[in-house]
Amino acid sequence: MTSTNSSFPEQIELKGEGLVLRDWTEADLAAMPGLFDHPDIAYWTPIVSPFDDAAARARLDRDRKLRAEGTAILLAITVDGGAPLGEVMLRRAPEGTEIGYAVGPAHRGRGLAARAVRVMSAYAFEQLGAEQVILELEAENAASVAVATKAGFRVLDVPLITGEEKGRPFRLQTWGRTRS
């Protein structure tokens, strides 16, 4: 996709697999540090660390800006539309429609990430017309490899993405899932 994508809807709520993926709200700001200020999230994701109240405000503001530009949407993962348990992101990029996710440490082990990725993938296929969605993750991140596998993704035969972030090198595999 190109950078000339139209904006996403002002409000999005996706339901499926026992989840409600909904917009982040001002009321969620207090819960965000408890979800994202964790060593695993700091290590494996580009989410800032430490993740405090100021980081929560910046993330919510960035979410709104990216959505208005038609670049990305970040949705709270919930089971009933209430308390956020994590986040799922969809980003339009030159390399494809990418999905990312993070689940708060207190809410792991319930299949939330894999279910959220499947729901977001369905949105990408059905509403955005994506032919393929991708995940970019490190092979050493066993939890993310499990999410990718459970969500129906497979490793693509493409070059690794290498770089450095937060003072450490990374090597990302690209996993893909195509429209059924």
Side-chain angles (χ1 to χ4, degrees):
M1 296 191 165
T2 66
S3 61
T4 59
N5 291 306
S6 62
S7 296
F8 290 105
E10 281 187 40
Q11 293 185 331
I12 299 176
E13 183 176 275
L14 307 176
K15 294 180 180 179
E17 302 220 16
L19 299 177
V20 177
L21 308 180
R22 62 159 176 81
D23 295 318
W24 286 104
T25 68
E26 298 287 326
D28 296 322
L29 288 171
M32 292 172 84
L35 297 173
F36 301 132
D37 191 36
H38 189 269
D40 287 349
I41 291 175
Y43 188 83
W44 295 115
T45 76
I47 294 174
V48 300
S49 178
F51 196 96
D52 56 13
D53 292 341
R57 166 50 61 198
R59 190 156 186 87
L60 183 61
D61 293 346
R62 182 173 174 264
D63 166 37
R64 291 174 175 165
K65 179 180 181 277
L66 292 173
R67 182 181 297 200
E69 293 171 353
T71 304
I73 52 173
L74 290 81
L75 300 177
I77 300 170
T78 77
V79 292
D80 58 4
L85 310 174
E87 176 177 88
V88 63
M89 177 269 310
L90 181 142
R91 181 176 73 95
R92 293 171 165 158
E95 60 273 13
T97 302
E98 178 187 0
I99 295 177
Y101 47 86
V103 173
H107 310 292
R108 295 179 184 162
R110 298 167 45 190
L112 296 170
R115 290 186 284 153
V117 167
R118 287 192 298 262
V119 171
M120 189 65 94
S121 296
Y123 174 77
F125 294 138
E126 297 164 13
Q127 301 299 316
L128 304 179
E131 292 298 320
Q132 176 176 262
V133 292
I134 61 171
L135 306 173
E136 295 174 344
L137 53 98
E138 295 181 64
E140 297 81 14
N141 186 343
S144 276
V145 168
V147 167
T149 303
K150 289 177 187 173
F153 286 71
R154 63 178 178 76
V155 178
L156 300 179
D157 187 18
V158 298
L160 292 174
I161 301 165
T162 59
E164 184 175 313
E165 190 166 54
K166 297 182 187 174
R168 77 170 189 89
F170 63 79
R171 295 167 38 101
L172 301 175
Q173 294 178 323
T174 303
W175 292 62
R177 181 175 165 199
T178 55
R179 181 191 294 253
S180 303

